[in-house]
Amino acid sequence: MKSVVRLTASATRPLPRAALLAICVVYAAFGLFWRDPWKNEDATGFGVMWTLASGHLHDWLFPNLFGKPMPADGPLSYWLGAGAIRLLPFIAPGSAARVVTALLFSLSCGFVWYGTYLLGRRGEVQPFKYAFGGEPLPGDFGRTIADGALLILLACFGLAERGHETTPQLAQFLCVSMILYGMARAVDKPVQGAIFWGAGLGLLTLAASPLLPTVMGACLLGVALLSPHFRGRTLLALGLPVALVIAASWPLVATFYDGDASQRFLRAWIHGNFDFYAGPLNNVLFYALKNLPLFTWPAWPLALWSWWSWKGMRRAPHVLAPMAIMVPLLVLVVLQSHQTNKLFMLLLPGMAMLAAFGLPTLKRGAINAIDWFAVLSFTVLGGFVWLVWTAAVTGHPAAIARNLARQIPGFEPSFRLIALATALVVTLCWMAIVRWRLATRPEVLWRGVVLSSAGTTLMWVLLMTLWMPFINYSRTYRDVAAQIAEHLPSDYRCITPVRLGDAQIASFGYFQSMRFGFHGEDCDVLLRQDDEDYWAPADVRPYQWKRVWEGRRAADRDERFRLYVRVLEPAAKRVR
């Protein structure tokens, strides 16, 4: 079939390896240190890791949050984070766990880059060959496409925060990237590709739930068996057994260790995830339609364009492999039973790979539009970050300073020279990249996405330097945990949590070593979260509940905590 790409060798000049590596390292490293576990999934994931790191074999086989079973996801990410906490005792536990986050993210980027490179050097995607030469070599074209895939991945808006949290989604992200690489590798080296494919599926089972790898594996196997490119028989004969052995390892060991506990935990692990995909609700679909395009920008419009522009070759590996990954994930997104963006991140490896093959077919006007959007949006947003920081530190502009004080009451801004110097360096680098792009007007393929990835990196670094104190203050439970601990009896048995989220339990247990009771334990302290005023808990004679503290995080107006201690009723009241 006639090629849809017309390029000269000059368009595939490689992006300097030092520049690409610098963007990846800066993006992955910032936001890992000098902060607390943040509310919601970040604190919850870290809480389970901390429980395992300070626990015993039973905790490692049956992950829990200070005694509360956590069967929603497999144990792989918790094992890795807990192992890092034990192996790196010289740094803060939260930072140690996030070292694993950086490693998982970096490995994922490597799989995406190399998988795209393998598909990009294949003959069917090569540019049109001119009569007198001048077209790029297959290796140069593949490397340029791979650079574009990695830059598109880093440019995705939703990846910034999700890619720096201590959640199971990072391990799942790596597994999906490994599966995608295995599909690409199976085209030219079936045995090696099948091993990576099977290992990715097996590890995905240990990192997520049985349903996700089952649906994805069935779709991929179907595509591989129907397509002559992926050697489906090798995947079935070698890759599937590898996946089954890895996936079965933890359940078998857990069952051998404690059959009763294993039966309860594994049943919850399996059935709980089927309940999670019980079917769509209108508000869930609306949430996905509203948030998924922003989360995956700019990958999704480029991927859509790529699918359209390669319409004559949609059965080729460079289109079929990422589509076989994305389609089952999109189906699961639609079938979710409540609003969440947990699966959005898993779409990005396939989406970035497919989007990269759309770069050679983009018109110059579209590339310029992407560039100008990146220049204007990230320059304005970066200037806003600097303006708010200036108002917080100096008090001017006064209107912004007053509004900031209302939004984060009780926060005391401080000047940090290292943060300022880092922010200045990254801002100057952004200006240099913009100047280079506008002054030289390069013809290389990756010119259309380098500004987007650099802009996303700029924003993330600015937020994690200039705004880190604001964000950390507004998203940590450290101060509330200290206030609660001051009012706890020194000899209390345990705390019954009422309407507390997992992130709150994790934060209170980590910051102040609070002991929680679950499964109907007879606790003498009750900690309750109320969004509005409720009646006091019912007394059980001869005891009554006495409220000893009430408060909330200064930056959160919705949460309100009430602490009750069980005391003996007065004698006169008991006589009556």
Side-chain angles (χ1 to χ4, degrees):
M1 181 174 289
K2 187 177 179 181
S3 176
V4 300
V5 178
R6 292 178 178 270
L7 289 176
T8 60
S10 61
T12 59
R13 290 198 309 272
L15 178 66
R17 300 297 95 182
L20 186 62
L21 183 62
I23 292 176
C24 293
V25 170
V26 170
Y27 187 95
F30 277 84
L32 300 180
F33 308 106
W34 303 297
R35 70 172 178 89
D36 292 333
W38 289 340
K39 62 181 296 188
N40 298 330
E41 286 91 349
D42 185 47
T44 301
F46 169 73
V48 180
M49 296 173 187
W50 176 249
T51 303
L52 268 60
S54 54
H56 305 285
L57 180 59
H58 184 277
D59 300 303
W60 287 71
L61 291 176
F62 310 106
N64 61 90
L65 181 62
F66 301 113
K68 179 182 180 181
M70 300 294 289
D73 294 289
L76 179 60
S77 61
Y78 303 135
W79 289 345
L80 296 174
I85 292 173
R86 285 195 172 185
L87 292 174
L88 303 172
F90 46 86
I91 62 177
S95 298
R98 286 188 289 272
V99 168
V100 172
T101 297
L103 292 176
L104 294 178
F105 181 83
S106 300
L107 287 173
S108 302
C109 291
F111 279 123
V112 171
W113 188 94
Y114 207 79
T116 308
Y117 169 73
L118 293 176
L119 297 178
R121 67 181 186 179
R122 288 182 54 79
E124 67 266 15
V125 301
Q126 295 305 306
F128 177 81
K129 294 185 181 299
Y130 298 103
F132 299 100
E135 69 277 356
L137 297 174
D140 293 339
F141 183 75
R143 185 177 60 245
T144 303
I145 294 293
D147 290 348
L150 185 53
L151 291 174
I152 292 170
L153 182 67
L154 296 178
C156 292
F157 288 177
L159 187 61
E161 182 178 3
R162 278 292 185 185
H164 294 82
E165 294 179 331
T166 49
T167 64
Q169 280 67 52
L170 257 298
Q172 297 167 20
F173 183 70
L174 171 63
C175 295
V176 170
S177 302
M178 186 186 299
I179 294 170
L180 189 59
Y181 169 78
M183 291 290 287
R185 183 84 275 184
V187 175
D188 57 352
K189 293 186 178 180
V191 173
Q192 186 179 348
I195 292 174
F196 275 98
W197 182 85
L201 272 180
L203 292 173
L204 182 61
T205 308
L206 298 183
S209 68
L211 182 60
L212 179 60
T214 299
V215 173
M216 185 177 295
C219 182
L220 291 171
L221 265 180
V223 168
L225 290 172
L226 293 175
S227 171
H229 299 290
F230 298 109
R231 318 291 177 90
R233 292 182 180 180
T234 306
L235 291 181
L236 186 62
L238 179 59
L240 191 58
V242 170
L244 293 175
V245 169
I246 295 175
S249 59
W250 164 57
L252 289 176
V253 173
T255 302
F256 179 79
Y257 176 78
D258 189 335
D260 293 336
S262 173
Q263 185 178 9
R264 292 191 300 271
F265 193 93
L266 294 177
R267 186 186 298 117
W269 179 54
I270 295 172
H271 292 290
N273 284 279
F274 278 100
D275 294 339
F276 184 79
Y277 300 106
L281 300 173
N282 289 335
N283 58 341
V284 174
L285 292 175
F286 178 74
Y287 176 86
L289 290 174
K290 182 176 66 174
N291 292 281
L292 184 59
L294 180 62
F295 192 100
T296 57
W297 178 272
W300 74 264
L302 291 173
L304 192 62
W305 167 255
S306 180
W307 184 82
W308 172 258
S309 63
W310 292 91
K311 54 182 176 291
M313 300 180 63
R314 288 174 185 161
R315 295 184 180 181
H318 70 287
V319 177
L320 197 56
M323 288 298 296
I325 291 281
M326 290 190 293
V327 168
L329 286 171
L330 285 171
V331 171
L332 292 177
V333 166
V334 171
L335 292 178
Q336 291 180 111
S337 56
H338 59 275
Q339 297 179 0
T340 177
N341 63 2
K342 289 182 178 180
L343 288 180
F344 293 180
M345 182 178 179
L346 306 186
L347 288 163
L348 295 181
M351 200 173 286
M353 176 180 284
L354 180 59
F357 285 96
L359 295 178
T361 62
L362 276 178
K363 304 299 182 182
R364 182 180 295 273
I367 295 175
N368 291 336
I370 294 173
D371 280 351
W372 277 111
F373 175 81
V375 170
L376 293 175
S377 59
F378 289 118
T379 300
V380 171
L381 291 174
F384 177 73
V385 172
W386 275 104
L387 184 63
V388 172
W389 176 83
T390 303
V393 174
T394 66
H396 300 284
I400 295 179
R402 287 193 300 269
N403 186 56
L404 185 64
R406 285 195 300 268
Q407 295 295 326
I408 318 178
F411 175 72
E412 295 293 336
S414 59
F415 177 81
R416 299 188 303 166
L417 183 59
I418 295 179
L420 175 61
T422 305
L424 283 173
V425 169
V426 75
T427 303
L428 291 174
C429 290
W430 166 251
M431 292 179 178
I433 293 174
V434 171
R435 182 179 182 277
W436 163 81
R437 173 65 181 92
L438 299 181
T440 61
R441 297 183 180 180
E443 297 181 356
V444 286
L445 284 182
W446 43 263
R447 72 188 184 277
V449 290
V450 68
L451 282 176
S452 296
S453 59
T456 306
T457 304
L458 164 77
M459 289 304 305
W460 180 248
V461 175
L462 290 181
L463 292 174
M464 293 300 102
T465 52
L466 299 181
W467 279 24
M468 174 62 86
F470 314 153
I471 299 173
N472 195 56
Y473 179 82
S474 63
R475 302 194 65 181
T476 180
Y477 286 98
R478 180 184 292 271
D479 293 339
V480 172
Q483 295 176 46
I484 295 172
E486 290 178 0
H487 295 84
L488 283 174
S490 59
D491 58 346
Y492 78 96
R493 184 184 298 112
C494 61
I495 303 172
T496 297
V498 179
R499 288 189 290 273
L500 289 187
D502 292 336
Q504 296 159 345
I505 295 173
S507 299
F508 298 155
Y510 169 63
F511 288 127
Q512 295 295 333
S513 301
M514 296 182 192
R515 302 185 297 275
F516 290 94
F518 304 97
H519 313 297
E521 292 185 46
D522 184 26
C523 295
D524 51 356
V525 177
L526 185 146
L527 179 59
R528 192 172 73 177
Q529 175 189 299
D530 298 328
D531 296 334
E532 55 186 86
D533 289 334
Y534 285 95
W535 296 103
D539 296 330
V540 179
R541 290 192 172 187
Y543 299 100
Q544 65 179 3
W545 291 106
K546 177 184 178 182
R547 189 171 69 187
V548 297
W549 175 83
E550 179 179 344
R552 61 178 175 83
R553 294 189 309 124
D556 199 323
R557 296 177 175 85
D558 296 327
E559 295 175 347
R560 182 167 296 277
F561 301 97
R562 292 179 173 89
L563 182 68
Y564 296 87
V565 176
R566 191 172 65 186
V567 297
L568 193 64
E569 287 183 344
K573 188 174 182 180
R574 292 201 302 271
V575 170
R576 263 187 265 159

